[in-house]
Amino acid sequence: MIKKIFILSGLIGFLGLSAQKTHTVAPKETPYGISKQYGLTVDELYRLNPAVKENGLKIGDVVVVSKSENGSKTAVSAPVINAVTKTGKTGTITLQPKQTIYGITKQYQISEADLRKLNPELDSHMKIGDKIILPLDNIQKFGGSTPTNVVQTTTTRTTEKPTEPKTVNKAETVSGKGLYVVQAKDNYYKISRQFNLTQKQLFALNPGLETTGLKPGETIRVAGAETVSTSSDAIKVEDNSNSNTTSAPVTETTRPTTASEPVKSSSNAVSAEDDYVTYIVQSGDTMFSIMNRFNVTLDQLISLNPNLADGLKAGMTLKIKKQDPMYSKKSGDVLSVVLMLPFGFDANDAKYRTMSMDFLTGAKLAIERNAGSGQKLDVKVVDAGNEATFKNSLSQINQDNTDLIVGPFFKSNVLEVLNYVNDKKIPVVAPFANSEDLFDYSNLIIIETDNSVYSDRIVKEVGQVYQDQKIYIVADNSKANANAIKSGLEKSLSKPNVVIVNSSSEIQLENNMMTGQSVPVIAILADDDESAGAAFASKVIALGKQTDGVKAFSMFYSPSFEKNVDDLSKASLVYLMDRKINYDGDFEKEILAAYKAKYCKTPSKYAVIGFDVMNDMLTRENKKGEIFKQIGKSQTQLATKFEFVKAKPNGAYINNGYRVVRLMQ
């Protein structure tokens, strides 16, 4: 029986590891960081996980971090918070779209084992709107940054008597000098809203607070350091915290600043001319938490701090590379979104009108779904006209009250928008434009996967089956993709015989001089034209009838591939796709049914793209418009896989997500 097997790019499954300790890769983690966390060298990690050395780490990969149960080196587990805390109280959250078990454990700092103890039927109830039981302390402490719904609290039995915080006179809870006394029901979100701060600013004012959490009775800063009095009688309360760690000074505030703003510094601050700030490592800090807080890579940290090779230690002073200031929402929790599409009504140009209308229908469905889940949205659709009249549409963007811009379609227009909102750093999403001259913009999100990603994957796929066959590459008019594949094969294979041809008809089998039999070849399609795909499919089928062992690969999808699955599977055809709907998936069935009910038809290609782009962006947003905090999370929508990486340091985010489709007997 012929089967189509769909494999997500970079997905590695490890089975039978019950006798070994494993680790699930989180965003921004590196082999070095994981090795240090579990007391391994990088070489030992690679020996335990050969695929990591070859393919690198992907978010969600499961890697082995101990040699065996009785290995000579015992892996050190990261500390987790117990499910039932000292208060013994639990509450519930409402499961949001795209939330996973892994995501819940990370956000609410609870082990998966403890989460399952509180929710025995968790796997069978992972549906949007389900109620998930969590320790109430964890909900109050970590629930502010994402939409959660605490329905009720219940008291569970505990063997330890709850510790009651010292009572604080409410008249003393807010200081006129920038200090605040934490109350029993406070959380990060509530305090940030009360004092008109972002959580990033709150953590910058109180280094270490993100790790240690809020403690009733504790005094924290809620205004700039320059306004905080050092007088001992500013607020007189008894500290109920068990922590003896002191605040870690950061010598420059981490809130977004412009070049014209003065640099606020402490007595040991670096000069304004330097391109870094300093940070003192606190007890409980990890490489991951520091990288996440300052939005830097491991390489950037180590290049400025070579002593990190000996491990991270409390008290170390680190140099942190400055990053471009990121967009932060001005006020309120309503997200203001601008959708720019080239309808061309004002320009009297209908060239892209159908494409725009289809894109809009998909985007509207995504908007309605997210609004129905509780997200507060204010969406404005702007007619981007055409490239000649585009500048007229820029005036419709309110730079002081726009949180996200989706569109426009064309590169020249995207550049104009980026320059227009450059000072505000408003996130801009380019659904189709992808060019190197866009890579310098740190607030740009590029949806289209670059062809170089596809060509590199084809080279890797061919290398896995290559046995001295002759290799034919069918090129398009530019031959750029074909040349990239040819160059990659010549570097990775031993003396390959590679020929670039203009059409599939030029692919020929050769005869073995000894046996007179036809010798199989490898055929590669590097042209995304639909007619070229049909011709390639016909040629591969014909070659497969002449001899066994023909192997076929394509950088792009062609409808002809699905029409000839049985015949093409004989050549083990492998092709890459940036978009593919899994018609058997529950989520996909739900979206397709909703679209058909709304528009009385199945979604077109551009309607699918409109839904995928808008739904992916809105599910990464939080109430503060901080879309880049979740940009590293890999997500698959109706048909598109989104896996964003930095195109360059301090540059744009570009989607590297795609699927590998294999036809096998």
Side-chain angles (χ1 to χ4, degrees):
M1 181 177 66
I2 306 299
K3 293 183 179 179
K4 290 192 292 184
I5 302 177
F6 300 96
I7 302 177
L8 296 183
S9 167
L11 184 62
I12 304 173
F14 289 94
L15 302 177
L17 297 179
S18 58
Q20 296 174 309
K21 189 177 292 295
T22 60
H23 173 86
T24 302
V25 178
K28 297 187 179 180
E29 285 193 320
T30 64
Y32 172 84
I34 295 173
S35 301
K36 299 299 287 186
Q37 181 178 350
Y38 292 98
L40 301 171
T41 66
V42 175
D43 287 339
E44 287 174 335
L45 183 68
Y46 283 152
R47 281 198 295 271
L48 292 169
N49 305 274
V52 171
K53 187 170 185 179
E54 180 182 353
N55 302 322
L57 287 174
K58 296 288 184 183
I59 298 170
D61 281 354
V62 179
V63 296
V64 180
V65 292
S66 68
K67 297 174 183 178
S68 66
E69 280 187 326
N70 301 317
S72 59
K73 186 171 289 201
T74 303
V76 181
S77 299
V80 296
I81 297 175
N82 290 332
V84 180
T85 60
K86 292 182 179 181
T87 63
K89 295 182 179 179
T90 61
T92 62
I93 63 169
T94 301
L95 191 66
Q96 301 297 310
K98 298 300 177 184
Q99 271 189 317
T100 62
I101 293 175
Y102 173 76
I104 293 171
T105 60
K106 294 296 287 185
Q107 178 178 352
Y108 292 97
Q109 295 292 294
I110 181 174
S111 71
E112 184 171 334
D114 287 340
L115 180 65
R116 292 185 183 279
K117 287 178 184 177
L118 293 172
N119 303 271
E121 298 181 353
L122 189 61
D123 287 325
S124 60
H125 285 280
M126 287 293 287
K127 299 183 182 66
I128 296 170
D130 283 346
K131 307 302 181 185
I132 306 296
I133 300 173
L134 290 169
L136 183 59
D137 289 352
N138 296 41
I139 295 175
Q140 292 175 336
K141 181 177 175 182
F142 303 108
S145 60
T146 55
T148 58
N149 181 23
V150 181
V151 178
Q152 62 182 15
T153 61
T154 57
T155 303
T156 58
R157 294 184 179 180
T158 176
T159 57
E160 187 171 350
K161 185 178 180 179
T163 302
E164 296 182 2
K166 303 288 184 181
T167 58
V168 181
N169 187 339
K170 289 194 175 183
E172 296 180 330
T173 58
V174 181
S175 168
K177 297 185 178 181
L179 299 177
Y180 173 72
V181 179
V182 178
Q183 302 300 292
K185 294 184 179 181
D186 279 342
N187 56 43
Y188 297 140
Y189 176 72
K190 180 179 178 182
I191 294 174
S192 300
R193 287 293 297 271
Q194 182 175 347
F195 295 99
N196 196 26
L197 297 169
T198 66
Q199 284 191 24
K200 190 173 183 180
Q201 290 170 333
L202 180 66
F203 295 146
L205 288 169
N206 301 275
L209 183 65
E210 186 175 7
T211 302
T212 60
L214 295 168
K215 298 179 176 64
E218 184 179 43
T219 303
I220 62 173
R221 290 182 176 180
V222 291
E226 71 278 8
T227 66
V228 179
S229 170
T230 57
S231 172
S232 60
D233 61 353
I235 292 184
K236 294 183 179 179
V237 296
E238 184 174 348
D239 186 4
N240 195 43
S241 170
N242 294 324
S243 172
N244 295 320
T245 50
T246 57
S247 295
V250 179
T251 61
E252 183 178 76
T253 178
T254 56
R255 69 178 177 84
T257 61
T258 60
S260 61
E261 289 182 317
V263 177
K264 299 171 185 176
S265 59
S266 63
S267 59
N268 63 339
V270 296
S271 65
E273 290 78 20
D274 290 325
D275 63 349
Y276 59 84
V277 296
T278 58
Y279 172 72
I280 298 177
V281 178
Q282 297 299 290
S283 176
D285 277 345
T286 64
M287 294 289 282
F288 175 76
S289 67
I290 293 173
M291 289 159 57
N292 194 41
R293 171 184 286 192
F294 294 100
N295 192 29
V296 294
T297 65
L298 178 65
D299 290 340
Q300 289 171 334
L301 267 181
I302 293 179
S303 65
L304 286 173
N305 305 276
N307 55 337
L308 281 176
D310 298 325
L312 189 70
K313 300 178 180 65
M316 292 175 66
T317 299
L318 300 180
K319 292 181 180 180
I320 311 291
K321 184 176 178 62
K322 289 181 184 177
Q323 301 293 307
D324 286 343
M326 279 295 166
Y327 171 81
S328 60
K329 189 172 178 60
K330 305 300 182 296
S331 62
D333 56 2
V334 176
L335 290 171
S336 181
V337 181
V338 172
L339 179 56
M340 306 189 76
L341 302 173
F343 296 108
F345 290 112
D346 294 337
N348 196 25
D349 184 352
K351 183 177 181 181
Y352 298 102
R353 190 168 299 167
T354 300
M355 175 182 175
S356 299
M357 292 298 294
D358 285 353
F359 190 97
L360 179 61
T361 60
K364 282 183 65 178
L365 182 61
I367 292 166
E368 291 167 1
R369 284 179 59 83
N370 283 273
S373 298
Q375 195 172 36
K376 298 180 181 179
L377 299 171
D378 179 13
V379 181
K380 182 178 183 179
V381 181
V382 174
D383 184 353
N386 58 22
E387 293 187 81
T389 64
F390 177 74
K391 287 186 178 179
N392 298 332
S393 63
L394 290 176
S395 60
Q396 299 182 56
I397 300 174
N398 183 347
Q399 296 190 58
D400 295 321
N401 191 33
T402 298
D403 301 309
L404 179 69
I405 300 172
V406 178
F409 286 177
F410 312 112
K411 185 188 78 171
S412 59
N413 297 159
V414 172
L415 283 168
E416 290 184 77
V417 172
L418 288 167
N419 290 324
Y420 185 72
V421 301
N422 183 58
D423 293 340
K424 304 294 184 179
K425 296 294 181 185
I426 300 171
V428 177
V429 181
F432 303 110
N434 185 338
S435 177
E436 286 192 14
D437 49 354
L438 296 172
F439 292 173
D440 290 327
Y441 294 87
S442 60
N443 57 320
L444 177 63
I445 301 171
I446 298 173
I447 299 299
E448 288 288 287
T449 303
D450 192 78
N451 281 346
S452 64
V453 176
Y454 293 155
S455 61
D456 289 346
R457 183 55 186 247
I458 290 295
V459 170
K460 180 179 179 181
E461 291 288 333
V462 172
Q464 293 174 352
V465 301
Y466 176 71
Q467 294 179 338
D468 295 326
Q469 304 100 314
K470 188 172 183 178
I471 302 174
Y472 287 92
I473 305 175
V474 181
D476 58 8
N477 292 332
S478 72
K479 292 187 171 56
N481 295 328
N483 287 329
I485 294 174
K486 184 175 187 291
S487 176
L489 292 172
E490 289 175 343
K491 290 178 181 177
S492 61
L493 303 180
S494 177
K495 297 180 180 180
N497 181 7
V498 184
V499 178
I500 295 178
V501 295
N502 295 319
S503 70
S504 297
S505 62
E506 299 180 52
I507 302 175
Q508 301 294 331
L509 298 178
E510 296 182 355
N511 291 331
N512 185 304
M513 295 180 62
M514 298 292 292
T515 64
Q517 295 179 336
S518 297
V519 178
V521 298
I522 292 176
I524 303 172
L525 178 64
D527 189 344
D528 62 351
D529 180 76
E530 190 169 318
S531 60
F536 182 79
S538 297
K539 186 64 176 182
V540 169
I541 293 171
L543 295 174
K545 292 178 179 179
Q546 295 179 49
T547 185
D548 293 330
V550 172
K551 302 294 183 184
F553 302 86
S554 176
M555 275 183 63
F556 307 102
Y557 161 79
S558 170
S560 299
F561 298 163
E562 291 191 334
K563 295 175 183 177
N564 299 279
V565 171
D566 290 356
D567 292 329
L568 290 173
S569 66
K570 295 177 182 178
S572 302
L573 174 65
V574 176
Y575 61 93
L576 309 183
M577 292 193 69
D578 57 350
R579 294 181 177 92
K580 177 68 177 177
I581 299 176
N582 174 18
Y583 291 97
D584 295 325
D586 292 338
F587 173 75
E588 290 81 358
K589 288 179 180 177
E590 179 186 346
I591 301 304
L592 292 171
Y595 188 93
K596 191 166 187 178
K598 185 176 181 64
Y599 299 110
C600 300
K601 61 179 180 180
T602 57
S604 68
K605 171 184 175 182
Y606 292 107
V608 170
I609 297 173
F611 175 86
D612 283 359
V613 171
M614 186 61 74
N615 201 55
D616 190 77
M617 293 301 109
L618 292 182
T619 54
R620 294 179 192 273
E621 288 275 20
N622 60 20
K623 291 182 179 179
K624 298 182 180 180
E626 297 167 325
I627 192 170
F628 293 109
K629 281 198 170 184
Q630 298 192 78
I631 202 68
K633 181 169 62 175
S634 179
Q635 297 185 160
T636 300
Q637 300 297 337
L638 179 58
T640 314
K641 181 178 181 182
F642 295 94
E643 191 174 272
F644 294 102
V645 298
K646 279 280 192 182
K648 60 194 308 185
N650 294 337
Y653 287 92
I654 183 170
N655 184 21
N656 271 6
Y658 63 92
R659 289 168 169 179
V660 182
V661 183
R662 305 178 190 277
L663 304 187
M664 304 174 65
Q665 288 185 321

